[in-house]
């Protein structure tokens, strides 16, 4: 079975994240680690950073950590070992990078239904993760 699972969360769709976390809670057992990852957009790019007051990035990271902790506490049992991570950058790249860094053997990622135009213009984070991941990817509908 899998020992380390990475679960990327899109806080713009909390309902899907809650559903997926409850599913993972039933699927995982003692001895397995669940790493919950939130990804912020790249605030540290010089052009973008110039529009925000000092401390904005740190505040955003702290707020996301708090939201992810609350999400985990509300949807996971105490028997499961879980850890919160926040990254900054392009979502699919940060997900793949974090999975490699943590040596995860599974990425469990919820999939949202985007319209055709969104898929063509933006691409799908899930599809890019599946394509680039160095471990198994479990796509949850």
């Amino acid at each position: 079975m899998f020992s380390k699972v990475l679960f990327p969360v899109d806080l713009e769709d909390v309902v899907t994240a809650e559903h997926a976390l409850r599913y993972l809670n039933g699927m995982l057992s003692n001895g397995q680690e669940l790493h919950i990852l939130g990804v912020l957009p790249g605030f540290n790019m010089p052009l973008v950073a110039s529009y925000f007051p000092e401390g904005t990035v740190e505040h955003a990271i702290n707020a996301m950590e708090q939201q992810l902790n609350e999400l985990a506490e509300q949807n996971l049992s105490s028997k499961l070992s879980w850890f919160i991570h926040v990254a900054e950058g392009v979502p699919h790249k940060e997900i793949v990078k974090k999975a490699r860094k943590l040596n995860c053997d599974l990425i469990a990622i919820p999939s949202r239904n985007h319209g055709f135009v969104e898929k063509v213009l933006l691409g799908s984070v899930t599809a890019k993760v599946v394509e680039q991941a160095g471990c198994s990817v479990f796509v949850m509908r």
Side-chain angles (χ1 to χ4, degrees):
M1 205 64 203
F2 303 104
S3 60
K4 287 187 182 180
V5 178
L6 180 65
F7 177 68
V9 175
D10 179 358
L11 288 174
E12 289 184 21
D13 189 4
V14 175
V15 172
T16 299
E18 289 174 335
H19 177 72
L21 271 178
R22 286 191 296 271
Y23 183 82
L24 285 173
N25 188 59
M27 191 175 97
L28 301 175
S29 61
N30 287 338
Q32 293 175 302
E33 294 179 4
L34 179 62
H35 294 268
I36 301 167
L37 173 66
V39 181
L40 290 168
F43 287 115
N44 279 336
M45 293 175 14
L47 180 63
V48 175
S50 68
Y51 288 98
F52 294 101
E54 193 173 320
T56 300
V57 174
E58 292 80 13
H59 178 71
I61 289 170
N62 291 337
M64 181 174 268
E65 284 176 351
Q66 182 179 352
Q67 286 179 295
L68 293 173
N69 269 308
E70 288 173 9
L71 189 67
E73 288 169 358
Q74 293 170 0
N75 294 284
L76 296 173
S77 70
S78 58
K79 70 176 175 85
L80 192 61
S81 297
W82 51 270
F83 307 89
I84 300 297
H85 307 274
V86 176
E88 184 184 351
V90 180
H92 74 274
K93 291 180 180 179
E94 294 303 320
I95 293 166
V96 170
K97 184 166 61 172
K98 184 58 81 174
R100 285 189 182 125
K101 182 177 180 183
L102 294 171
N103 199 27
C104 291
D105 43 16
L106 179 69
I107 299 172
I109 186 168
S111 179
R112 295 183 359 182
N113 290 326
H114 291 290
F116 176 75
V117 174
E118 289 172 312
K119 284 182 184 176
V120 170
L121 294 177
L122 300 174
S124 167
V125 171
T126 303
K128 290 176 184 174
V129 168
V130 168
E131 197 175 275
Q132 297 174 14
C135 63
S136 296
V137 180
F138 174 46
V139 180
M140 296 179 279
R141 285 266 176 209

